[in-house]
């Protein structure tokens, strides 16, 4: 199994540009989520999905859209990038949303918005 | 709401020293508790977890005990190595809900 994969690894955008961060998992996990990591703030949940066709907002959803058309894929879209979205983005998945389930993380996408 | 408070870092130790990273939490109900580790340039990996009170999670010489009475889940290791240098995150997850992380503690172990 490849686990959780993310592309690209690094991206530079100009303010106002749009882009999609890709996330895929091959573990047949129902639960997927996106986090951003900023210095001194830990990881904050952006959006999550409990299954194909179902998504919901996390702690910091503004400026981001998601969709979940398949179990495997959970892309994160930035419609109009802003410098405040400069961060490291992690995708994660788990078998279910049960409390004890381990979340598996991708390697991250480092985004710089100029 | 749910929250996790971690010992502020960074923490610098010499090889073979004893490590404690404090973690306390606030949550309704009975969440599962986790420690994740992030090595430089990588994503987060599960280090250990505990799903109910008095459970002890352990892995790679690290241990943490779920203390409901003190709402704590402190991470300990008896003898750290240079290879343990990383950022450590405490996290909680109530059933059917999201994972909430602490701010992370940077650990540096010098030879």
């Amino acid at each position: 199994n490849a686990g959780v994969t993310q592309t690209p690894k690094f991206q530079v955008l100009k303010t106002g540009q749009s882009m999609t961060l890709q996330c895929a998992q091959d573990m047949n996990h129902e639960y997927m989520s996106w986090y951003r990591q900023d210095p001194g703030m830990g990881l904050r949940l952006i959006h999550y999905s409990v299954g194909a066709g179902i998504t919901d907002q996390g702690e910091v959803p503004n400026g981001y859209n998601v969709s979940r058309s398949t179990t495997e894929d959970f892309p994160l879209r930035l419609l109009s990038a802003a410098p405040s979205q400069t961060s490291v983005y992690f995708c994660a998945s788990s078998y279910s949303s049960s409390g004890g389930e381990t979340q598996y993380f991708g390697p991250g996408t480092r985004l710089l918005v100029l | 709401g749910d929250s996790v408070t971690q010992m502020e870092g960074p923490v610098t130790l010499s090889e073979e020293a004893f490590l404690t990273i404090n973690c306390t939490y606030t949550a309704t109900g009975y969440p599962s508790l986790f420690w994740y580790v992030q090595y430089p340039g990588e994503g987060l990996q599960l280090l250990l977890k505990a799903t109910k009170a008095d459970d002890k999670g352990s892995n790679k010489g690290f241990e943490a005990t779920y203390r409901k009475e003190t709402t704590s889940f402190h991470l300990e290791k008896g003898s750290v190595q240079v290879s343990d240098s990383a950022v450590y995150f405490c996290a909680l997850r109530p059933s059917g809900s999201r994972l909430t992380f602490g701010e992370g503690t940077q650990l540096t172990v010098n030879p």
Side-chain angles (χ1 to χ4, degrees):
Chain A
N1 287 348
V4 180
T5 57
Q6 291 183 238
T7 55
K9 290 186 178 180
F10 181 72
Q11 183 72 47
V12 180
L13 291 179
K14 295 181 179 179
T15 297
Q17 287 185 316
S18 63
M19 80 161 293
T20 299
L21 281 64
Q22 300 293 343
C23 173
Q25 52 89 12
D26 61 359
M27 297 175 282
N28 201 32
H29 284 172
E30 290 296 326
Y31 187 92
M32 297 185 73
S33 52
W34 276 102
Y35 296 87
R36 60 177 289 173
Q37 183 180 27
D38 302 294
M41 302 186 76
L43 278 79
R44 293 180 292 170
L45 182 65
I46 304 171
H47 285 286
Y48 65 97
S49 169
V50 298
I54 306 169
T55 63
D56 206 347
Q57 296 181 353
E59 183 183 355
V60 288
N62 291 341
Y64 307 95
N65 282 347
V66 292
S67 60
R68 184 94 180 272
S69 57
T70 67
T71 299
E72 295 78 20
D73 301 300
F74 191 44
L76 178 72
R77 297 182 185 84
L78 284 71
L79 299 179
S80 179
S84 60
Q85 294 179 304
T86 293
S87 187
V88 182
Y89 292 85
F90 290 100
C91 180
S93 74
S94 62
Y95 180 72
S96 73
S97 61
S98 172
E101 287 290 335
T102 299
Q103 285 206 16
Y104 295 87
F105 284 79
T109 294
R110 188 173 297 271
L111 177 66
L112 175 62
V113 182
L114 302 175
Chain B
D2 300 337
S3 66
V4 176
T5 302
Q6 276 185 243
M7 170 180 174
E8 288 190 16
V11 175
T12 302
L13 296 174
S14 298
E15 205 164 26
E16 299 183 1
F18 184 86
L19 169 71
T20 299
I21 301 178
N22 290 338
C23 171
T24 57
Y25 67 90
T26 301
T28 54
Y30 306 97
S32 294
L33 301 175
F34 303 81
W35 277 101
Y36 280 84
V37 58
Q38 183 180 30
Y39 298 103
E42 298 184 9
L44 278 72
Q45 304 173 23
L46 177 70
L47 181 59
L48 53 85
K49 69 178 182 181
T51 59
K52 60 183 186 296
D54 299 325
D55 271 0
K56 177 186 284 188
S58 61
N59 186 26
K60 300 181 181 179
F62 291 88
E63 293 183 341
T65 301
Y66 189 158
R67 300 289 189 197
K68 183 173 180 293
E69 63 275 13
T70 55
T71 61
S72 64
F73 193 54
H74 304 321
L75 183 68
E76 297 182 335
K77 186 175 186 182
S79 177
V80 293
Q81 305 300 312
V82 172
S83 57
D84 294 326
S85 297
V87 181
Y88 293 82
F89 292 92
C90 185
L92 67 83
R93 189 180 192 187
S95 186
S97 187
R98 60 194 67 172
L99 196 61
T100 299
F101 286 90
E103 294 182 0
T105 301
Q106 172 76 56
L107 171 66
T108 300
V109 181
N110 295 319

